[in-house]
Amino acid sequence: MVEVGEWLTVPDVAERLGVPVTRVHQLLREGGLVGVRTGGVLRVPAGFLADGAVVKGLSGVLTLLRDGGYGDDEAIRWLHTADDSLPGTPVEALRANRGREVKRRAQALGF
C-alpha cells in the first residue's frame, strides 16, 4: 500500500463529519467513501475529508474507478499515487478543487 498518511476509524469519520456512525456506514456502502479493513478495523484515509465533509468529487471518482475494475484498495492506492501531470496525487488535486482533471484521468483508466 502507498503512503496514505492518517487513517481514521468509522467512529472518527462520523465525529469529523458530525453525523452518526450509521451514516458513515451508508456512505461506505453506497460508494461515497471507501476504506480498508486492517486488523479487523475498517479505516478511511483522513485525506478523503475536509472542512467537515467528504472531499468534493470523491464519490464520482470512486464510481469511475469501480467502473474501470478497481477494487477499494486499488482505488485508495491510485488516489494516493503521485501523478506528475497533476502535479501531486489525485486526492490532493480533489482537495484543491481540481476534480475535473482527476475525473478525466480516472475515466481514461477504464479504456
Side-chain angles (χ1 to χ4, degrees):
M1 182 66 65
V2 295
E3 181 58 38
V4 168
E6 184 183 5
W7 290 88
L8 302 172
T9 63
V10 170
D12 291 338
V13 172
E15 184 178 320
R16 290 208 183 174
L17 295 178
V19 299
V21 169
T22 53
R23 175 67 181 129
V24 176
H25 284 291
Q26 182 181 2
L27 283 167
L28 289 161
R29 225 180 10 261
E30 293 175 351
L33 264 181
V34 66
V36 292
R37 202 168 283 285
T38 54
V41 178
L42 186 58
R43 299 182 189 277
V44 174
F48 289 173
L49 307 178
D51 302 322
V54 175
V55 171
K56 182 180 173 188
L58 178 65
S59 65
V61 171
L62 290 172
T63 298
L64 290 168
L65 291 173
R66 285 190 187 101
D67 289 350
Y70 278 58
D72 290 350
D73 6 344
E74 293 166 320
I76 291 170
R77 185 177 312 115
W78 184 82
L79 284 160
H80 289 88
T81 300
D83 181 338
D84 293 337
S85 69
L86 278 171
T89 66
V91 76
E92 290 168 348
L94 285 173
R95 293 176 63 86
N97 205 22
R98 296 190 332 247
R100 190 173 298 161
E101 299 170 46
V102 176
K103 285 181 182 176
R104 268 191 234 126
R105 284 162 182 78
Q107 282 175 322
L109 295 172
F111 294 109

